Amino acid sequence: MTARVVIIGNGMAGARLAGELHAREGDRKVTVLGAEPHRAYNRIMLSTLLAGRVDEPDVELTEAAGHGIDLRTGVTVTALDRSAREVRTADGERIAYDHLVLATGARAVVPPLPGLDPADLPERVVPFRTLDDCRRILAAADGARSALVLGGGLLGLEAARGLANRGLTTTVVHPRGHLMERQLDPAAGAVLAGTLAGLGVTSQLAVPAIGVATDATGVRLDLADGQTLHADLLVLSCGVRPDTALARAAGLDVGRGVLVDDRLRTSDRSISAIGDCAEHDGVLTGLVAPAWAQARVLADVLTGTDPLARYRPRPVVTRLKAAGIDLASMGDPVGGGPGEELTFTDPSRGTYARLRIRDERLVGAILLGDNPAVGTVIQLFDRGHPVPTDRRALLLGRALGTAAAAPASSPALMPDGVTVCQCNSVSKGALVRSWRSGARTVDAVVAATRAGTGCGGCRDAVGGIVDWLSQAESVEVTR
């Protein structure tokens, strides 16, 4: 009997799961229901689209297609009937399932400010979450001279940099004392603010907004300190909230997200949840790498490829790579407790580094600006290897008496197990194997391994490895 798997959501998690299921053997029908009318797209590349560095086709994801895949876009699911094992759509259709997967993602938070109605936002006020949001921002930015961005987190700064790249005078308004407070300490936040100012983005910090007003001439944002800011456009980047409405209405266990176990099962064993809508062990993902890891595990479980597969979160590395900015934050860089702490700062050059070491292992780091050792630091953190004796090598990027501290100067010196693409957990060895199997260009290697299809931050590294492979007469992979 053909197993019927229904996936609600055609975002980065749902589309990846469909692809993972399609790649595995077995007799099943996979139905993907996407509320958005578009093909699946890479949401974390929207800031690059906003900056004008790529076009819409460049952010589209390769979707599973062919036998056993029924992809329906522009379909809104309105209810789950768990007893009948059916989903109901807005047009009255009932779709039966043997196993249902919720990949409903998260929605942008619209702050409860006077002048903002989440159901009817003014034309000049736009959240930044979806492709349609990006289109609206671009339409509003056409002919605009200034913009305000409410929210100084990762996404807000990417939006601000994208708008500034289009020539708009841009100001970020953030209620906390420094930017990206979840990933950075105050010193790093100050250096980042200085770097942004040099790129045309100013910051208003430690002051909440208290009201919004719009008219034909623009947007007014009132602040708690009495200031009033004016601009042609206001972008909202105030966080996201897991979309749990369907799960909650169906009686599934819900905390901040839909509660799932190590096999990604909800309180109903015939329903799973992955991605931004899922809460595993008290943690919401919010990033692409965990969502894609969940898709792999769930595909293994559902198809019987590996019935014992379990989702085990890996340490997360947050990257901000906008034009003129290179930031990596990982682990717990600002926590206290025992261990060593090393810092280096050069505000005039926009450089900051902070490392936290415990039991000779890296437990947290912030690297902002020109830090040649960033690759080595990420590798040490990701693999849990001991740090070098000479700590200065990690702060300054110099090989001061230890080869272990220096980033590999050539891909030939890079160990096979080093993770090149964090989003997709693709190692250098996997890239080499794909090249040896016939993928002889960067695009071919990317297609074969998915490296570079997440945040795109590893594309240069992938290109360097492909160039090395192309030039080498014989390749010896170090281990």
Side-chain angles (χ1 to χ4, degrees), residues 305-319:
T305 302
D306 182 3
L308 299 179
R310 299 292 185 271
Y311 172 63
R312 295 288 185 266
R314 295 185 60 189
V316 173
V317 179
T318 301
R319 299 297 301 269

Side-chain angles (χ1 to χ4, degrees), residues 171-185:
T171 300
V172 173
V173 178
H174 193 52
R176 308 300 180 200
H178 65 278
L179 300 171
M180 291 182 64
E181 74 280 354
R182 293 184 179 180
Q183 295 87 14
L184 304 183
D185 59 17

Side-chain angles (χ1 to χ4, degrees), residues 70-110:
D70 180 14
L71 172 60
R72 308 185 194 182
T73 58
V75 175
T76 300
V77 175
T78 57
L80 312 180
D81 186 337
R82 292 168 53 194
S83 59
R85 290 195 178 185
E86 292 179 338
V87 302
R88 301 174 186 172
T89 67
D91 59 7
E93 186 178 7
R94 291 173 173 261
I95 302 172
Y97 64 84
D98 297 304
H99 198 89
L100 176 66
V101 181
L102 300 176
T104 49
R107 296 181 181 274
V109 171
V110 176

Side-chain angles (χ1 to χ4, degrees), residues 270-460:
S270 63
I271 302 177
S272 300
I274 62 173
D276 290 355
C277 71
E279 180 181 341
H280 173 267
D281 198 21
V283 177
L284 301 171
T285 61
L287 296 171
V288 64
W292 284 351
Q294 291 175 354
R296 288 193 297 272
V297 169
L298 185 54
D300 282 342
V301 171
L302 293 182
T303 62
T305 302
D306 182 3
L308 299 179
R310 299 292 185 271
Y311 172 63
R312 295 288 185 266
R314 295 185 60 189
V316 173
V317 179
T318 301
R319 299 297 301 269
L320 171 58
K321 286 185 71 69
I325 307 172
D326 193 352
L327 168 66
S329 176
M330 61 208 78
D332 182 14
V334 298
E340 304 173 52
E341 187 169 302
L342 300 88
T343 60
F344 171 80
T345 181
D346 184 354
S348 65
R349 301 186 63 175
T351 302
Y352 180 83
R354 178 174 180 174
L355 308 178
R356 293 188 62 240
I357 299 168
R358 184 182 304 134
D359 298 329
E360 296 301 306
R361 263 66 177 178
L362 193 66
V363 296
I366 300 170
L367 297 170
L368 173 62
D370 183 16
N371 285 290
V374 62
T376 297
V377 171
I378 291 175
Q379 291 172 25
L380 290 170
F381 175 76
D382 185 61
R383 306 182 78 187
H385 285 182
V387 296
T389 303
D390 190 342
R391 314 298 205 225
R392 292 173 299 169
L394 294 181
L395 280 179
L396 305 177
R398 303 172 188 164
L400 300 176
T402 172
S409 58
S410 165
L413 303 177
M414 184 185 296
D416 190 26
V418 166
T419 301
V420 177
C421 175
Q422 296 285 334
C423 294
N424 287 287
S425 300
V426 181
S427 66
K428 177 219 174 176
L431 298 175
V432 172
R433 288 192 293 274
S434 70
W435 186 86
R436 286 174 169 167
S437 298
R440 298 305 174 92
T441 66
V442 172
D443 287 343
V445 169
V446 167
T449 64
R450 291 174 170 161
T453 60
C455 70
C458 65
R459 289 282 298 206
D460 289 345

